[in-house]
């Protein structure tokens, strides 16, 4: 599965705001992307305008009002996500570093690419102020959680994801506010995280010291890819290059063509059952991000290779009995799965298939998008609930009703809304 020549040397396209966000649209660059000829036509039996209106309704009439009324802390800043999603009642008032970085990104992205509503920028600013009050003095990780007022909780230190999500949020906020200092801080956090990750004794939670994780490369990639859309930077580009190389040339197991979650520190396959573990949720999410980065680079070969791998993982992870997609293949040869269903994975499938529809007019992607859209709306859109549940059992009848998702769900809505609007601008042409 290795490419003869993995990287191509291309100048990053100068992408405009809104319509050309990071996807190399024809309006942003004269370089075409891999695609089949012809127009898209309908998607899931609906016109592009109908799909656009559904996404706008889900974002502006469902998600954002619920966030405004139940999650955003207008007094102290930040996001309180531990609540009863059926009623909106808060179950605690604590805040997590993960959700501050993610929420800051969401509201900055809203302002930058969807609608320049000053209230979106204010929500992002207050989250930024809240979390930066607690920036570690050294390059250690942010604390995992805080009280509503900002006192560190007893939970203790967080992990690399805390810092990477905050970096992602700060870089997007820098663009929204016009304050370049926050881009510089985001870059510093990103590079500090990579330096720490490269230490032989780096340990994530209870895993073996020095181990490499697909999930880490995933967040390194999306953070660096988005930052490179703002400005070219050789150090940030190295992060993106390393991430893509690790994902496509190292984690992708040639024996069964699935991404392994774990590798040794020197990027070899571990000798134990880690070699049989494919976290298909991360794999599917990561592969659309590789497509996303390939579009930024205008790299046709990388886009197609990532699309093929994405298709493979989606096909393998499908629950042929009850619908939807499984997030964790615990042992490949024994075909042992975790069978719960998480909303974020179903929505990562939708982002990836939309990328393939927009750039390739791929019939398989159109079929999967339509089937999965129907599944999501049947299982996760519940009458009277303030938020879509973040997870459930295999048949999605026993839902997790104690957390509002403030990242994967709005990211899916925004990225696919932008893709649909670009297609409408091009009169349906892939």
């Amino acid at each position: 599965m290795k490419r003869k020549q993995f990287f191509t040397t291309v100048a990053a396209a100068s992408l405009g705001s809104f319509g050309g966000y990071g996807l190399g649209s024809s309006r942003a660059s004269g370089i075409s992307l891999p695609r089949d000829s012809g127009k898209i036509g309908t998607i899931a039996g609906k016109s592009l305008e109908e799909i656009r209106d559904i996404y706008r309704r889900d974002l502006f009439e469902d998600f954002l009002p619920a966030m405004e009324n139940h999650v955003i802390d207008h007094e102290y800043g930040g996001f309180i996500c531990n609540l009863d999603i059926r009623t909106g009642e808060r179950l605690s008032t604590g805040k997590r570093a993960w959700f501050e970085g993610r929420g800051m990104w969401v509201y900055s992205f809203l302002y930058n690419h969807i609608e320049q509503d000053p209230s979106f920028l204010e929500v992002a600013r207050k989250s930024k102020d809240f979390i930066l009050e607690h920036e570690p003095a050294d390059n250690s990780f942010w604390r995992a959680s805080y009280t509503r007022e900002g006192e560190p909780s007893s939970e203790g230190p967080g992990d690399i994801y805390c810092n990477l999500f905050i970096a992602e949020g700060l870089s997007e906020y820098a663009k929204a506010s016009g304050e370049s200092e926050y881009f510089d801080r985001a870059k510093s956090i990103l590079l500090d995280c990579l330096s720490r990750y490269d230490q032989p004794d780096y340990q994530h939670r209870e895993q073996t010291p020095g181990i490499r994780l697909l999930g880490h490369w995933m967040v390194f990639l999306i953070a660096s890819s988005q930052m490179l859309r703002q400005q070219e930077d050789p150090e940030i580009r190295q992060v993106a290059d390393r991430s893509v190389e690790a994902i496509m040339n190292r984690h992708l197991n040639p024996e069964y063509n699935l991404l392994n979650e774990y590798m040794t520190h020197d990027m070899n396959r571990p000798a134990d059952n880690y070699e049989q573990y494919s976290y298909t949720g991360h794999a599917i999410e990561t592969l659309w991000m590789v497509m996303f980065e390939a579009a930024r680079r205008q790299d046709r070969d990388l886009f197609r290779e990532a699309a093929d791998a994405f298709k493979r993982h989606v096909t393998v992870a499908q629950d042929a009995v009850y619908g939807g997609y499984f997030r964790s293949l615990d042992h490949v040869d024994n075909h042992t799965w975790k069978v719960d269903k998480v909303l974020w994975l179903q929505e990562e499938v939708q982002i990836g298939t939309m990328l393939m529809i927009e750039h390739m007019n791929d019939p398989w992607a159109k079929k999967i998008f339509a089937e999965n859209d129907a599944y999501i709306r049947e299982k996760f859109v519940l009458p009277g609930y303030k938020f879509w549940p973040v997870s459930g059992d295999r048949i999605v009848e026993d839902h997790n009703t104690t957390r509002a998702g403030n990242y994967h769900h709005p990211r899916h809505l925004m990225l696919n809304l932008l893709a649909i609007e670009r297609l409408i601008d091009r009169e349906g042409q892939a």
Side-chain angles (χ1 to χ4, degrees):
M1 293 299 291
K2 289 188 177 181
R3 301 172 59 187
K4 292 180 181 178
Q5 185 176 359
F6 192 86
F7 295 114
T8 56
T9 304
V10 293
S14 175
L15 299 174
S17 62
F18 193 73
Y21 177 72
L23 294 169
S25 73
S26 58
R27 295 189 296 163
S29 153
I31 305 172
S32 63
L33 284 170
R35 64 174 184 250
D36 295 330
S37 60
K39 292 193 175 183
I40 298 296
T42 61
I43 300 176
K46 299 178 178 63
S47 69
L48 295 177
E49 290 77 11
E50 288 172 325
I51 293 283
R52 175 201 60 198
D53 292 345
I54 290 170
Y55 270 105
R56 289 192 65 85
R57 181 197 67 206
D58 289 342
L59 181 61
F60 284 100
E61 297 180 25
D62 181 48
F63 177 76
L64 290 175
M67 290 289 291
E68 176 75 15
N69 294 329
H70 305 292
V71 170
I72 296 169
D73 186 345
H74 296 285
E75 182 177 358
Y76 293 100
F79 304 92
I80 299 171
C81 295
N82 183 210
L83 50 80
D84 187 331
I85 65 168
R86 297 166 295 188
T87 65
E89 178 185 0
R90 288 175 177 170
L91 302 176
S92 75
T93 57
K95 298 170 185 174
R96 300 191 64 82
W98 276 38
F99 302 158
E100 293 306 316
R102 288 172 160 191
M104 190 197 322
W105 177 84
V106 165
Y107 278 83
S108 298
F109 190 94
L110 273 167
Y111 183 84
N112 286 332
H113 303 287
I114 306 294
E115 185 175 296
Q116 288 196 328
D117 184 333
S119 69
F120 297 156
L121 184 57
E122 179 66 5
V123 170
R125 182 191 67 78
K126 293 181 80 169
S127 175
K128 178 265 298 179
D129 290 344
F130 178 90
I131 202 63
L132 287 185
E133 279 287 317
H134 310 289
E135 186 170 8
D138 53 16
N139 68 341
S140 60
F141 299 138
W142 257 266
R143 301 275 295 201
S145 59
Y146 303 86
T147 67
R148 182 187 180 195
E149 297 78 13
E151 293 297 319
S153 74
S154 60
E155 187 174 352
D159 57 16
I160 200 169
Y161 293 113
C162 294
N163 288 37
L164 288 173
F165 288 134
I166 290 167
E168 185 184 15
L170 287 173
S171 65
E172 194 69 30
Y173 177 79
K175 180 177 180 179
S177 67
E179 298 169 286
S180 61
E181 66 184 274
Y182 294 111
F183 183 94
D184 296 338
R185 292 177 83 167
K187 175 183 172 180
S188 178
I189 294 167
L190 179 76
L191 297 181
D192 284 345
C193 284
L194 186 61
S195 176
R196 185 154 175 185
Y197 183 45
D198 280 339
Q199 298 303 309
D201 62 349
Y202 170 78
Q203 184 173 14
H204 180 65
R205 298 179 182 170
E206 302 302 318
Q207 271 116 23
T208 304
I211 203 162
R212 303 289 194 173
L213 286 85
L214 179 66
H216 286 18
W217 296 119
M218 173 184 74
V219 186
F220 277 121
L221 176 58
I222 194 62
S224 59
S225 184
Q226 291 178 107
M227 293 173 77
L228 289 167
R229 289 176 176 84
Q230 291 190 47
Q231 64 184 64
E232 179 60 25
D233 182 289
E235 291 179 297
I236 298 173
R237 188 174 66 249
Q238 271 196 329
V239 178
D241 287 350
R242 281 191 62 189
S243 300
V244 172
E245 197 278 336
I247 293 160
M248 300 302 293
N249 280 355
R250 301 304 188 98
H251 282 263
L252 191 62
N253 192 317
E255 295 298 318
Y256 43 74
N257 292 334
L258 296 174
L259 287 163
N260 292 130
E261 180 68 18
Y262 299 114
M263 303 290 287
T264 63
H265 189 73
D266 57 359
M267 298 302 292
N268 290 311
R269 302 204 182 281
D272 53 23
N273 282 337
Y274 280 151
E275 188 177 5
Q276 288 288 321
Y277 178 48
S278 178
Y279 191 31
T280 49
H282 274 175
I284 288 166
E285 183 177 8
T286 300
L287 287 165
W288 77 248
M289 293 174 183
V290 177
M291 284 190 272
F292 195 75
E293 170 63 5
R296 185 193 71 81
R297 300 178 183 197
Q298 307 293 305
D299 185 337
R300 289 182 178 85
D301 290 342
L302 178 58
F303 191 98
R304 284 200 180 277
E305 184 172 340
D308 287 345
F310 176 85
K311 186 182 296 189
R312 163 74 172 164
H313 284 77
V314 170
T315 301
V316 169
Q318 187 171 34
D319 183 350
V321 178
Y322 293 110
Y325 297 91
F326 296 132
R327 66 182 174 91
S328 184
L329 179 50
D330 292 347
H331 196 284
V332 173
D333 288 350
N334 293 341
H335 201 59
T336 305
W337 292 87
K338 287 185 176 65
V339 296
D340 60 326
K341 300 288 172 58
V342 289
L343 175 62
W344 63 262
L345 171 54
Q346 319 311 315
E347 294 186 315
E348 306 306 330
V349 171
Q350 297 306 84
I351 296 172
T353 51
M354 184 59 72
L355 277 165
M356 294 174 67
I357 292 167
E358 180 183 7
H359 293 301
M360 303 171 71
N361 195 13
D362 186 275
W364 173 88
K366 293 178 76 172
K367 176 178 181 292
I368 296 299
F369 181 94
E371 293 173 353
N372 200 38
D373 180 74
Y375 173 82
I376 291 169
R377 294 184 184 281
E378 176 188 355
K379 298 295 185 178
F380 291 93
V381 184
L382 305 176
Y385 280 44
K386 304 299 182 184
F387 293 90
W388 298 14
V390 296
S391 63
D393 60 0
R394 183 176 181 182
I395 58 176
V396 200
E397 287 188 353
D398 183 15
H399 302 98
N400 179 339
T401 60
T402 63
R403 180 166 74 83
N406 76 331
Y407 182 63
H408 292 280
H409 179 54
R411 181 173 70 179
H412 155 240
L413 296 178
M414 293 188 295
L415 291 181
N416 279 10
L417 174 61
L418 291 172
I420 291 293
E421 290 183 334
R422 285 190 297 272
L423 283 168
I424 291 171
D425 286 349
R426 295 197 303 271
E427 299 182 344
Q429 179 65 52

